[in-house]
Amino acid sequence: MNRPLATSSLWLLVATALLVAALLPFDGTISQWAQGLPGGVVTFNERITDFGTFSWMIYGSGSIVIIAYILNRVASSETWSSKTKTAWRLALYFLVTIGSASAVVHLAKLVIGRARPELFAEHGPHSISFFAGHDWVFQSFPSGHSAAVGSFFGAFSMLAPRLRILFALGALAIGISRVVVGAHYPSDVAAGLLVGLWTAVMTAFLFAGRNWLFRLDDKGWPRLKSSTSGGAGSKEP
């Protein structure tokens, strides 16, 4: 395995474990406090929280992949073909990243079966019912919305690293909203965000291996190509 690939996976796994472990003792307290914030704060978070749904991201990027690929196949000029090739590979990067995050998170939800905050009075903040995740109220860990925005903004951060702080703040805002609206505990959000970031990084490695959008630098890390359409000397298929 590529050493940077293994290293990044290990660090993200360790970061997830440490953050979850650090937040678990305070999950109940923070969750109850967040839900008791002033009405205006709660209302604002209710308005922004559904930005973090997998469905519109997957359907949107999937539609762009199909349209751009068809345009690429019928393109009559080399310049137009190059632009549409870049477009469908860019959309495919988002589709694979977000789709992978969705698969990982929903599998984890099914296996772990953590009770959501709405069952706090009955089950407390640390109730686990393995393989009960088919029931929505036992799908708290990890947060799907957080994983969605983690993968979405994570993909953007791989494409535009200079704006990573802004993307991180955007993902964090949606993640926090899941706690405020009472859908998740803080540790659910931390895990979801880092799962999403992990899929963005892993997909970048995958694409770099195929010379799509990214290339592997001298240290083996994926970097955005100076010309995603495959500049001079590029051997993109």
Side-chain angles (χ1 to χ4, degrees):
M1 178 183 288
N2 180 299
R3 177 172 291 182
L5 173 62
T7 300
S8 58
S9 294
L10 178 61
W11 275 110
L12 285 171
L13 176 62
V14 170
T16 302
L18 291 176
L19 269 177
V20 169
L23 289 170
L24 275 174
F26 308 102
D27 269 348
T29 301
I30 296 175
S31 175
Q32 295 300 298
W33 172 80
Q35 292 178 64
L37 289 170
V41 176
V42 175
T43 299
F44 171 76
N45 282 274
E46 288 175 344
R47 289 176 177 173
I48 68 171
T49 195
D50 281 338
F51 175 83
T53 54
F54 279 115
S55 55
W56 76 265
M57 297 181 189
I58 292 176
Y59 291 139
S61 56
S63 298
I64 295 173
V65 168
I66 294 171
I67 294 171
Y69 183 78
I70 292 173
L71 291 175
N72 175 255
R73 302 303 294 180
V74 301
S76 57
S77 70
E78 184 176 345
T79 299
W80 181 245
S81 176
S82 177
K83 291 182 180 297
T84 54
K85 179 187 290 185
T86 298
W88 77 259
R89 288 179 176 176
L90 185 61
L92 184 64
Y93 173 59
F94 279 91
L95 179 61
V96 173
T97 295
I98 297 165
S100 299
S102 178
V104 171
V105 162
H106 285 92
L107 178 60
K109 286 177 178 288
L110 174 64
V111 174
I112 297 171
R114 185 184 190 184
R116 289 184 184 270
E118 70 178 72
L119 299 179
F120 176 79
E122 180 181 354
H123 293 276
H126 304 128
S127 176
I128 301 294
S129 299
F130 292 112
F131 296 100
H134 58 278
D135 188 338
W136 185 85
V137 293
F138 290 97
Q139 293 182 1
S140 194
F141 187 90
S143 165
H145 282 62
S146 299
V149 293
S151 59
F152 182 75
F153 286 115
F156 271 114
S157 71
M158 295 299 295
L159 295 166
R162 292 183 180 180
L163 300 177
R164 281 176 180 171
I165 293 178
L166 292 178
F167 297 138
L169 291 175
L172 188 60
I174 302 301
I176 291 174
S177 76
R178 302 306 290 160
V179 179
V180 176
V181 303
H184 289 284
Y185 292 106
S187 60
D188 303 331
V189 169
L193 288 172
L194 288 170
V195 165
L197 176 60
W198 177 77
T199 62
V201 175
M202 294 305 101
T203 306
F205 272 107
L206 174 65
F207 273 51
R210 298 183 64 86
N211 201 30
W212 289 3
L213 301 178
F214 300 93
R215 60 176 178 80
L216 294 176
D217 65 16
D218 294 338
K219 296 181 179 180
W221 292 94
R223 305 294 182 191
L224 185 66
K225 297 172 68 175
S226 58
S227 173
T228 54
S229 61
S234 173
K235 296 182 179 180
E236 280 193 286

